[in-house]
Amino acid sequence: MLNRQHIDPGLYRDAMSRYAGHVQLVTTAMGELRRGVTITAACSVSDNPASVLICLSNTNPKNDIFFRSGVFVLNTLGAHHQAVADAFSGRTALTNDDRFASAHFDTLVTGAPVLFDALAAFDCRVTDIKEMPTHNVVFGEVAAVRFSEKHPALIYMNRDYHAL
């Protein structure tokens, strides 16, 4: 039997703030509805088939579109995208339309919004969703990729952005 120790959520968040993560913008669309969220909880799962995973809060009702649309794009942000990261992070009071107007978006295969100059964009179809207490882990098989010129990456650590 596992011996589980309860860790205070605030203490856990403080420790995780020291964990450097690449800043990503995850986007989706369903009909005319679009949503985008800045995240650091994303990673590669496999190269055959090409797949990634993202972690999204399941306590925010606006994220429900990610769990219903069946598609998402994982847009990898560069240091020059800090304003875009802020726009989609909730740090600003921008409306959803203003957030999407803050950058150039197009589409690839699935119809989900792709940041035009993302360092890398992974256009995905949802293959599985695992419910956790506060977040859902969303797995996606990559239907298309696009990448831009090499630029410094946007990293989040110690509750602030950094370029790498």
Side-chain angles (χ1 to χ4, degrees), residues 34 83-84 87-88 92-103 105:
R34 296 186 299 177
V84 174
F88 285 91
T92 66
L94 295 175
T95 66
N96 193 55
D97 288 341
D98 289 340
R99 290 174 180 184
F100 278 98
S102 71
F105 290 89

Side-chain angles (χ1 to χ4, degrees), residues 109-122:
V109 173
T110 69
V114 177
L115 181 62
F116 184 74
D117 64 341
L119 297 186
F122 303 88

Side-chain angles (χ1 to χ4, degrees), residues 2 8 37 39 43 52 54-55 70 75-76 80 83 90 93 95 101 109 112-113 125-126 133 135-136 153 155 158 162:
L2 292 176
D8 175 73
V37 179
I39 65 170
C43 68
V52 298
I54 59 172
C55 299
N75 297 280
T76 304
H80 62 290
T95 66
V109 173
R125 290 188 179 89
V126 173
H135 286 70
N136 283 349
I155 303 296
N158 293 325
H162 303 275

Side-chain angles (χ1 to χ4, degrees), residues 11-121:
L11 181 66
Y12 176 78
R13 285 190 302 274
D14 285 345
M16 287 303 295
S17 74
R18 287 149 176 87
Y19 183 84
H22 201 136
V23 182
Q24 313 271 353
L25 172 61
V26 61
T27 55
T28 193
M30 193 166 70
E32 296 298 312
L33 298 174
R34 296 186 299 177
R35 173 120 171 104
V37 179
T38 301
I39 65 170
T40 57
C43 68
S44 171
V45 174
S46 173
D47 66 353
N48 190 15
S51 52
V52 298
L53 69 77
I54 59 172
C55 299
L56 291 168
S57 171
N58 58 20
T59 60
N60 184 337
K62 292 180 181 178
N63 284 343
D64 189 54
I65 187 173
F66 284 102
F67 313 133
R68 294 184 299 120
S69 69
V71 297
F72 67 88
V73 174
L74 183 62
N75 297 280
T76 304
L77 301 184
H80 62 290
H81 291 122
Q82 185 171 335
V84 174
D86 277 342
F88 285 91
S89 71
R91 288 183 171 195
T92 66
L94 295 175
T95 66
N96 193 55
D97 288 341
D98 289 340
R99 290 174 180 184
F100 278 98
S102 71
H104 180 106
F105 290 89
D106 60 1
T107 61
L108 293 176
V109 173
T110 69
V114 177
L115 181 62
F116 184 74
D117 64 341
L119 297 186

